[in-house]
Amino acid sequence: MPRRRTTSSPSSTAPPAPSAPRNRTPQPVRVRRRTFGDFVKAFLALVVLAGLVVGVPFALAVTAGWPFPGGAPSLDWLQREITVTTFLHILTVIVWLAWAQFTACVLVEVKAALSGVGVPGRVPGSGPSQLLARQLVAALLLVGATAASLTPGLSQLGQSLEGNQKPSVAAAQQTPGIFAQQQEQAAATAGALAEQAGQAGQAAARADGGSAAAHGDTKYYRIQPPEGRHHDSLWEVAERHLGDGRRYKEIFELNKDRVQPDGSRLSEASLIRPGWIMEMPGDARGGELVEMPDEAPNVSEQVQQQISDYARTGDHAQGSGGGDVQVSLPEQRPAPADPANPVTPATPVPSTGQEHAAPAAGQAGDSFGLPEALLTAPLLAAGLLGALGRRRRQAMWQSALGAVGGRRGMEPPTPTGDAQDVQDALLVGADPEGVRLLDRSLRGLAASLTADSRPLPVVYAAWMSGNGDLHLQLAQPAGKPPSPWRQGQDQTFWMLARADAEGYEEAETAAPYPGLVSLGTMDDSRLLLNLEAVPGIVSLGGTEADRAAVFASVAAELATNGWSDRMTITLVGFGDDLTPLAPNRIRHLDGFEDLFETMSAETRQRRGALGTAGHDSVLTGRTGPAQHTRWAPHLVLLAAQPSDDDALRLAELAADAGRLGIGYLVGTGGADLPGAAWEMEITGEGRLLAPLLGLELDAQLLPAAQRRAVVELFTDADPGSGPGSDPEGGPGRPANAPPFLVDISEQGRPAVYARLVGSYEIIGLDAPDGERSALLHEALALLLLHREGVHPRVLSSALWPRGVTADVRDALLERLRAWLGSDPDGTPRLGTDATGRLTLAKSVVSDLDVLRSLYYEATQGRGVGSRQVRGRLLTDALVLVRGPLLADRPEGRYRWLTHEIVDAQLPLLVADTGLALSEFHLEKDRAEKAIEALNAALRTAPADERLWHELLRATHSTGDPGRLRALAADLVARSGARGVPPRTEALLDELLPTWREGVSAAG
């Protein structure tokens, strides 16, 4: 049932009688008398229309004749010479076609103006012709009875149309510059139309902050299809017709739940569709006035089909939602019926949103002092942990290649204090499997749609349910999803079960939705908002500290997530310390002027690039043969409240952002933000509220203390900035010393010895219970690789990534203590340090500990002053190498190794040992011994280019060209399709100039 609004004068104090009936009849619009100028405009419009519709064909018929041929053309006609006459005939036909198109536009506009309901049809390829016809018809009928139901607002005559930059909606459409001479007249007409609202009512409406209507008067406007864009918003309508975009709430209150011509309702303060009839406050001006019946308008099936076709093709083709924007929870709970007063849900149980980090009762309630903010952020934790591991590996390789023998930066610094707690929280909370499935699911969907020649749908949000299912919420229906995706609770939801996602293979396609970012959880489901698809600005209210925690979380996840290829993240007014997380993605700007200069240029560049490439939006540029890297998202995070002028400039800048792949998240201290499509607020209790979207989330946050600790982890990973790079060494031990040194003398024989480099063996302990042997071995391996200590929750999450109860974890620890036993002095071999972390006694040693200690003593300890000792220590170290780390580990276990850098450390350590031993032998011209040492190291580090270089030099020193050619051929074969690395190729040119001949002969 359409809603009607009864308003009274603001000065009135008496409440209406309870029995008074509601006014269900629209207030009549006061129409002023037509002026002489109106009649002049109407006469001129009539003359122009008559000249164009009647005069042009008459003149053509008299001077050039009719365009229809007198008979069927023959083959000789195609072989005739093209003369001036032929060229004039072709131009005449073109003019006839232009006239026919313009005449069709006039007929369509006249029909729409006289009908008073529906959307004027679009004449294919008309563009400016239809706009000209619309303006002429409006001017002609201005003095008639139907002038109130015409499409354009005459106040727009004479304004220029700049591409797609400024949308013209609700009939406030702009006209090409050929009408510039009519600006003054159009302005007068606009003023006359505004006068209809009544100046007294306008003043009263603005005095009380924008009441719904003035003196009880309201108006009704029909929303028209905009030129150059395919959607409109209430804020833009309010800006054009009320003079203040922040008054969009008045329009929403007047129109929510009213049945529209296409049968839908305005249930959210979101995008609105062409053809809808909107009740407006009495001081509204410009636009198209229509008669509003008591019930829903009874429009023809043709008009309904026209509106339906527009919503399906226009909005979707432009990559912007044309219907209601509601980010609602999939299936578990329907969205609130009244967005202004949503039903407050029961407080959801804190959850990470996936099985991995949703431990059962007992473990979930005991954080052991680790920061909960990261324990409950599985996707953020996985991204940070993966990026940290890559940074550490990169730092090790850079350090190794930049030093003789790779003797710098071998051991990254061990975190302490808050950084250690944050690293443990990342290890516990991370869900790399969830990230992998999300990435594969989205890329697989893009690949399937591309194979079917279908465009990517606009996705506003993604929900990851507690059981691992993925729900995509579309801006509007996009047909049947490709298999194995299926329809969700309605046509705007596509759903993929976790079991189906696990069947996806790697897809060679661009990441379709890289702008998805976690905001929080709601009823055991995690919400990821697609910032680049929001039709406008996302505003975030709350205190400055609370907003900063949200902004830091969003920035950190965008910078490190695993479901994007590349993007640009611009931070304004905050976050200069976050750059180390992803220097290639994050950039920092000081203020709004820098932002406007940067983003204005990029907006123009992207709009022009899309037009040149023929794409409607960045989504169509990410599929097919297009260069998808050109359409990477650019997400702007502004933590500071902009001034009123800056806010208006920002709103204009973001008007077309969704189509261009640019997203804006802006902090606000509480005031309404112009152009804000979605409004959210973060509370001091960590709740993220978005009433108009029907959302109340447990927010994902990165508080200041955790943010500093995360940044510390990344900065310490750089060998040039961490304490491990101090040439004087850290306190208590020399520079570059391993975290645990073993007594390698005869008196230092360990009580328990574990062989990890190669197959896993335990010496010194009885075999444990067969049913629990694998679990105990894995727990011991984790402790052996972390001599600094392992947090109990890190241990349990590594062994049971899908969650475990506290009693099961404690039972395992008791079995592990019993298995390891105690030293002769009664000290348990499994202990606990002051921070509660599990540590092993010095009597429990691994071959990796011995290998590190031998290399350190040979290169920085006793071997430095004794050549004989150095050779013996290096030889003993290389003998320990029997293969890769934990070579025979069972499938499905030891998944925590993906977070470790030991897989990168061990090959580097073995390579450095082989290089040092080769150098030792070559000093005495023992080339064969050097070759033997290098070959032994290559079995564990076959990709280390330094080993191959030294092997080529050692082989060359034997003076056997045939042996060198055989080694060169083997190296070329190993290189495969990638080819020989440039530095190796240069070395071969130096040592064996004819090596390419051997390659050609073999080929």
Short mmCIF file of all heavy atoms in Angstrom, two decimals, residues 759-801:
data_model
loop_
_atom_site.label_atom_id
_atom_site.label_comp_id
_atom_site.label_asym_id
_atom_site.label_seq_id
_atom_site.Cartn_x
_atom_site.Cartn_y
_atom_site.Cartn_z
N SER A 759 64.69 -38.22 6.36
CA SER A 759 63.61 -38.94 7.01
C SER A 759 63.63 -38.67 8.52
O SER A 759 64.68 -38.40 9.10
CB SER A 759 63.74 -40.44 6.73
OG SER A 759 64.99 -40.92 7.19
N TYR A 760 62.45 -38.74 9.12
CA TYR A 760 62.26 -38.40 10.53
C TYR A 760 62.58 -39.63 11.39
O TYR A 760 61.94 -40.67 11.26
CB TYR A 760 60.83 -37.93 10.75
CG TYR A 760 60.53 -37.29 12.09
CD1 TYR A 760 61.53 -37.07 13.03
CD2 TYR A 760 59.24 -36.89 12.41
CE1 TYR A 760 61.25 -36.48 14.24
CE2 TYR A 760 58.94 -36.29 13.62
CZ TYR A 760 59.95 -36.09 14.54
OH TYR A 760 59.68 -35.50 15.75
N GLU A 761 63.57 -39.49 12.29
CA GLU A 761 63.94 -40.57 13.20
C GLU A 761 64.18 -39.99 14.59
O GLU A 761 64.67 -38.87 14.73
CB GLU A 761 65.21 -41.29 12.72
CG GLU A 761 65.09 -41.92 11.34
CD GLU A 761 66.40 -42.54 10.89
OE1 GLU A 761 67.27 -42.77 11.77
OE2 GLU A 761 66.57 -42.80 9.69
N ILE A 762 63.85 -40.78 15.61
CA ILE A 762 64.08 -40.38 17.00
C ILE A 762 65.02 -41.40 17.65
O ILE A 762 64.78 -42.61 17.59
CB ILE A 762 62.77 -40.33 17.81
CG1 ILE A 762 61.79 -39.35 17.16
CG2 ILE A 762 63.05 -39.92 19.25
CD1 ILE A 762 62.20 -37.92 17.26
N ILE A 763 66.09 -40.93 18.24
CA ILE A 763 67.07 -41.78 18.92
C ILE A 763 67.08 -41.38 20.39
O ILE A 763 67.20 -40.20 20.74
CB ILE A 763 68.48 -41.61 18.31
CG1 ILE A 763 68.45 -41.98 16.82
CG2 ILE A 763 69.50 -42.46 19.05
CD1 ILE A 763 69.73 -41.66 16.10
N GLY A 764 66.96 -42.37 21.26
CA GLY A 764 67.01 -42.11 22.69
C GLY A 764 65.68 -42.21 23.39
O GLY A 764 65.60 -42.00 24.60
N LEU A 765 64.60 -42.50 22.64
CA LEU A 765 63.28 -42.65 23.24
C LEU A 765 62.63 -43.93 22.74
O LEU A 765 62.86 -44.36 21.60
CB LEU A 765 62.37 -41.47 22.87
CG LEU A 765 62.70 -40.09 23.45
CD1 LEU A 765 61.73 -39.05 22.90
CD2 LEU A 765 62.62 -40.12 24.98
N ASP A 766 61.82 -44.53 23.59
CA ASP A 766 61.04 -45.68 23.17
C ASP A 766 59.93 -45.22 22.23
O ASP A 766 59.47 -44.08 22.29
CB ASP A 766 60.42 -46.38 24.39
CG ASP A 766 61.47 -46.97 25.32
OD1 ASP A 766 62.57 -47.31 24.79
OD2 ASP A 766 61.21 -47.05 26.53
N ALA A 767 59.52 -46.12 21.36
CA ALA A 767 58.42 -45.80 20.44
C ALA A 767 57.14 -45.56 21.23
O ALA A 767 56.79 -46.36 22.11
CB ALA A 767 58.23 -46.93 19.44
N PRO A 768 56.42 -44.48 20.94
CA PRO A 768 55.18 -44.20 21.68
C PRO A 768 54.04 -45.11 21.22
O PRO A 768 54.21 -45.92 20.30
CB PRO A 768 54.89 -42.74 21.33
CG PRO A 768 55.51 -42.56 19.99
CD PRO A 768 56.73 -43.46 19.95
N ASP A 769 52.90 -44.93 21.89
CA ASP A 769 51.71 -45.68 21.53
C ASP A 769 51.42 -45.52 20.05
O ASP A 769 51.41 -44.41 19.52
CB ASP A 769 50.53 -45.17 22.37
CG ASP A 769 49.26 -45.97 22.13
OD1 ASP A 769 49.31 -46.90 21.31
OD2 ASP A 769 48.24 -45.65 22.75
N GLY A 770 51.17 -46.64 19.37
CA GLY A 770 50.99 -46.60 17.92
C GLY A 770 49.88 -45.70 17.45
O GLY A 770 49.99 -45.04 16.42
N GLU A 771 48.78 -45.61 18.20
CA GLU A 771 47.65 -44.80 17.76
C GLU A 771 47.96 -43.31 17.83
O GLU A 771 47.37 -42.52 17.11
CB GLU A 771 46.42 -45.13 18.61
CG GLU A 771 45.92 -46.56 18.43
CD GLU A 771 44.69 -46.84 19.29
OE1 GLU A 771 44.30 -45.92 20.05
OE2 GLU A 771 44.14 -47.94 19.19
N ARG A 772 48.82 -42.94 18.74
CA ARG A 772 49.12 -41.51 18.93
C ARG A 772 50.55 -41.17 18.53
O ARG A 772 51.01 -40.07 18.79
CB ARG A 772 48.88 -41.12 20.38
CG ARG A 772 47.44 -41.34 20.84
CD ARG A 772 47.25 -40.84 22.26
NE ARG A 772 45.87 -40.96 22.68
CZ ARG A 772 45.36 -42.02 23.31
NH1 ARG A 772 46.16 -43.03 23.61
NH2 ARG A 772 44.10 -42.05 23.66
N SER A 773 51.25 -42.10 17.91
CA SER A 773 52.65 -41.88 17.57
C SER A 773 52.81 -40.71 16.61
O SER A 773 53.67 -39.84 16.81
CB SER A 773 53.24 -43.15 16.96
OG SER A 773 54.56 -42.93 16.53
N ALA A 774 52.00 -40.66 15.56
CA ALA A 774 52.14 -39.59 14.56
C ALA A 774 51.91 -38.23 15.19
O ALA A 774 52.63 -37.26 14.89
CB ALA A 774 51.16 -39.83 13.41
N LEU A 775 50.93 -38.12 16.09
CA LEU A 775 50.63 -36.84 16.71
C LEU A 775 51.77 -36.40 17.63
O LEU A 775 52.16 -35.22 17.64
CB LEU A 775 49.32 -36.95 17.49
CG LEU A 775 48.53 -35.66 17.72
CD1 LEU A 775 48.15 -35.02 16.40
CD2 LEU A 775 47.28 -35.97 18.54
N LEU A 776 52.33 -37.32 18.38
CA LEU A 776 53.43 -36.98 19.28
C LEU A 776 54.69 -36.60 18.50
O LEU A 776 55.40 -35.66 18.87
CB LEU A 776 53.71 -38.15 20.21
CG LEU A 776 52.64 -38.46 21.26
CD1 LEU A 776 52.97 -39.75 22.00
CD2 LEU A 776 52.50 -37.30 22.24
N HIS A 777 54.97 -37.31 17.41
CA HIS A 777 56.12 -36.97 16.58
C HIS A 777 55.97 -35.57 15.97
O HIS A 777 56.94 -34.80 15.90
CB HIS A 777 56.31 -38.01 15.47
CG HIS A 777 57.06 -39.23 15.90
ND1 HIS A 777 56.49 -40.23 16.65
CD2 HIS A 777 58.35 -39.62 15.68
CE1 HIS A 777 57.38 -41.19 16.88
NE2 HIS A 777 58.53 -40.83 16.30
N GLU A 778 54.77 -35.24 15.51
CA GLU A 778 54.55 -33.93 14.92
C GLU A 778 54.70 -32.82 15.95
O GLU A 778 55.29 -31.77 15.67
CB GLU A 778 53.16 -33.86 14.27
CG GLU A 778 52.89 -32.58 13.50
CD GLU A 778 51.58 -32.59 12.75
OE1 GLU A 778 50.87 -33.63 12.79
OE2 GLU A 778 51.26 -31.57 12.11
N ALA A 779 54.18 -33.06 17.16
CA ALA A 779 54.32 -32.06 18.22
C ALA A 779 55.79 -31.85 18.58
O ALA A 779 56.24 -30.70 18.76
CB ALA A 779 53.53 -32.50 19.45
N LEU A 780 56.57 -32.93 18.64
CA LEU A 780 57.99 -32.79 18.96
C LEU A 780 58.74 -32.06 17.85
O LEU A 780 59.62 -31.24 18.13
CB LEU A 780 58.59 -34.17 19.19
CG LEU A 780 60.09 -34.20 19.53
CD1 LEU A 780 60.39 -33.36 20.76
CD2 LEU A 780 60.57 -35.63 19.71
N ALA A 781 58.38 -32.34 16.59
CA ALA A 781 59.04 -31.64 15.48
C ALA A 781 58.79 -30.14 15.54
O ALA A 781 59.70 -29.33 15.32
CB ALA A 781 58.55 -32.21 14.15
N LEU A 782 57.57 -29.75 15.87
CA LEU A 782 57.25 -28.32 15.99
C LEU A 782 58.08 -27.67 17.10
O LEU A 782 58.62 -26.57 16.93
CB LEU A 782 55.76 -28.14 16.25
CG LEU A 782 55.26 -26.70 16.43
CD1 LEU A 782 55.52 -25.88 15.18
CD2 LEU A 782 53.77 -26.68 16.78
N LEU A 783 58.21 -28.35 18.22
CA LEU A 783 58.99 -27.81 19.33
C LEU A 783 60.48 -27.74 18.98
O LEU A 783 61.18 -26.80 19.36
CB LEU A 783 58.78 -28.66 20.57
CG LEU A 783 57.38 -28.59 21.21
CD1 LEU A 783 57.19 -29.70 22.22
CD2 LEU A 783 57.16 -27.23 21.86
N LEU A 784 60.98 -28.73 18.24
CA LEU A 784 62.39 -28.73 17.86
C LEU A 784 62.74 -27.60 16.90
O LEU A 784 63.85 -27.09 16.91
CB LEU A 784 62.76 -30.08 17.24
CG LEU A 784 62.90 -31.26 18.21
CD1 LEU A 784 62.95 -32.57 17.44
CD2 LEU A 784 64.14 -31.08 19.09
N LEU A 785 61.78 -27.20 16.07
CA LEU A 785 62.02 -26.12 15.11
C LEU A 785 61.83 -24.74 15.74
O LEU A 785 62.11 -23.74 15.09
CB LEU A 785 61.10 -26.27 13.90
CG LEU A 785 61.36 -27.50 13.01
CD1 LEU A 785 60.34 -27.58 11.90
CD2 LEU A 785 62.77 -27.46 12.44
N HIS A 786 61.35 -24.70 17.00
CA HIS A 786 61.12 -23.42 17.69
C HIS A 786 61.71 -23.54 19.09
O HIS A 786 60.99 -23.69 20.08
CB HIS A 786 59.63 -23.08 17.73
CG HIS A 786 59.06 -22.70 16.41
ND1 HIS A 786 59.15 -21.44 15.88
CD2 HIS A 786 58.42 -23.45 15.47
CE1 HIS A 786 58.58 -21.41 14.69
NE2 HIS A 786 58.13 -22.62 14.41
N ARG A 787 63.03 -23.44 19.17
CA ARG A 787 63.69 -23.55 20.47
C ARG A 787 63.37 -22.37 21.37
O ARG A 787 63.59 -22.44 22.59
CB ARG A 787 65.20 -23.66 20.27
CG ARG A 787 65.67 -24.80 19.39
CD ARG A 787 65.14 -26.15 19.85
NE ARG A 787 65.49 -26.48 21.20
CZ ARG A 787 66.10 -27.61 21.58
NH1 ARG A 787 66.44 -28.50 20.68
NH2 ARG A 787 66.36 -27.86 22.85
N GLU A 788 62.85 -21.26 20.79
CA GLU A 788 62.49 -20.12 21.63
C GLU A 788 61.23 -20.37 22.43
O GLU A 788 60.91 -19.61 23.36
CB GLU A 788 62.33 -18.86 20.78
CG GLU A 788 61.08 -18.82 19.91
CD GLU A 788 61.22 -19.59 18.60
OE1 GLU A 788 62.24 -20.28 18.42
OE2 GLU A 788 60.30 -19.48 17.75
N GLY A 789 60.47 -21.42 22.09
CA GLY A 789 59.23 -21.73 22.80
C GLY A 789 58.03 -21.68 21.89
O GLY A 789 58.01 -20.94 20.90
N VAL A 790 57.03 -22.47 22.20
CA VAL A 790 55.81 -22.57 21.40
C VAL A 790 54.61 -22.33 22.31
O VAL A 790 54.48 -22.97 23.37
CB VAL A 790 55.69 -23.94 20.72
CG1 VAL A 790 54.36 -24.04 19.96
CG2 VAL A 790 56.86 -24.18 19.78
N HIS A 791 53.77 -21.41 21.92
CA HIS A 791 52.56 -21.13 22.69
C HIS A 791 51.63 -22.35 22.64
O HIS A 791 51.50 -22.99 21.59
CB HIS A 791 51.86 -19.91 22.10
CG HIS A 791 50.86 -19.29 23.01
ND1 HIS A 791 49.64 -19.85 23.26
CD2 HIS A 791 50.91 -18.16 23.77
CE1 HIS A 791 48.96 -19.09 24.10
NE2 HIS A 791 49.72 -18.06 24.43
N PRO A 792 50.97 -22.70 23.76
CA PRO A 792 50.07 -23.86 23.73
C PRO A 792 48.99 -23.78 22.66
O PRO A 792 48.64 -24.78 22.05
CB PRO A 792 49.46 -23.88 25.14
CG PRO A 792 50.47 -23.18 25.99
CD PRO A 792 51.10 -22.14 25.11
N ARG A 793 48.47 -22.58 22.42
CA ARG A 793 47.43 -22.46 21.39
C ARG A 793 48.03 -22.60 20.00
O ARG A 793 47.35 -23.06 19.08
CB ARG A 793 46.71 -21.11 21.52
CG ARG A 793 45.76 -21.07 22.71
CD ARG A 793 44.64 -20.08 22.48
NE ARG A 793 43.79 -20.46 21.37
CZ ARG A 793 42.71 -19.77 20.99
NH1 ARG A 793 42.38 -18.67 21.64
NH2 ARG A 793 41.98 -20.17 19.96
N VAL A 794 49.28 -22.19 19.81
CA VAL A 794 49.93 -22.40 18.52
C VAL A 794 50.11 -23.89 18.28
O VAL A 794 49.87 -24.39 17.17
CB VAL A 794 51.28 -21.66 18.48
CG1 VAL A 794 52.05 -22.01 17.21
CG2 VAL A 794 51.08 -20.16 18.57
N LEU A 795 50.52 -24.62 19.30
CA LEU A 795 50.70 -26.07 19.17
C LEU A 795 49.38 -26.76 18.84
O LEU A 795 49.31 -27.59 17.93
CB LEU A 795 51.29 -26.64 20.46
CG LEU A 795 51.52 -28.15 20.48
CD1 LEU A 795 52.58 -28.55 19.47
CD2 LEU A 795 51.90 -28.62 21.88
N SER A 796 48.32 -26.41 19.56
CA SER A 796 47.04 -27.08 19.33
C SER A 796 46.46 -26.72 17.97
O SER A 796 45.89 -27.58 17.28
CB SER A 796 46.05 -26.71 20.44
OG SER A 796 45.82 -25.31 20.49
N SER A 797 46.59 -25.46 17.52
CA SER A 797 46.06 -25.09 16.21
C SER A 797 46.86 -25.71 15.08
O SER A 797 46.33 -25.98 14.00
CB SER A 797 46.04 -23.57 16.05
OG SER A 797 47.35 -23.04 16.07
N ALA A 798 48.16 -25.98 15.33
CA ALA A 798 48.97 -26.64 14.31
C ALA A 798 48.59 -28.11 14.18
O ALA A 798 48.50 -28.64 13.06
CB ALA A 798 50.45 -26.51 14.66
N LEU A 799 48.34 -28.77 15.28
CA LEU A 799 47.99 -30.19 15.25
C LEU A 799 46.55 -30.43 14.87
O LEU A 799 46.22 -31.43 14.22
CB LEU A 799 48.28 -30.83 16.61
CG LEU A 799 49.74 -30.76 17.11
CD1 LEU A 799 49.86 -31.40 18.47
CD2 LEU A 799 50.68 -31.43 16.12
N TRP A 800 45.65 -29.54 15.31
CA TRP A 800 44.22 -29.68 15.01
C TRP A 800 43.73 -28.38 14.37
O TRP A 800 43.12 -27.53 15.03
CB TRP A 800 43.43 -29.94 16.29
CG TRP A 800 43.75 -31.25 16.95
CD1 TRP A 800 43.33 -32.49 16.57
CD2 TRP A 800 44.55 -31.45 18.12
NE1 TRP A 800 43.81 -33.45 17.42
CE2 TRP A 800 44.57 -32.85 18.39
CE3 TRP A 800 45.26 -30.61 18.97
CZ2 TRP A 800 45.26 -33.40 19.46
CZ3 TRP A 800 45.95 -31.15 20.04
CH2 TRP A 800 45.94 -32.53 20.28
N PRO A 801 43.99 -28.17 13.10
CA PRO A 801 43.61 -26.90 12.47
C PRO A 801 42.11 -26.66 12.43
O PRO A 801 41.69 -25.51 12.26
CB PRO A 801 44.19 -27.03 11.05
CG PRO A 801 44.39 -28.48 10.83
CD PRO A 801 44.68 -29.08 12.16
#
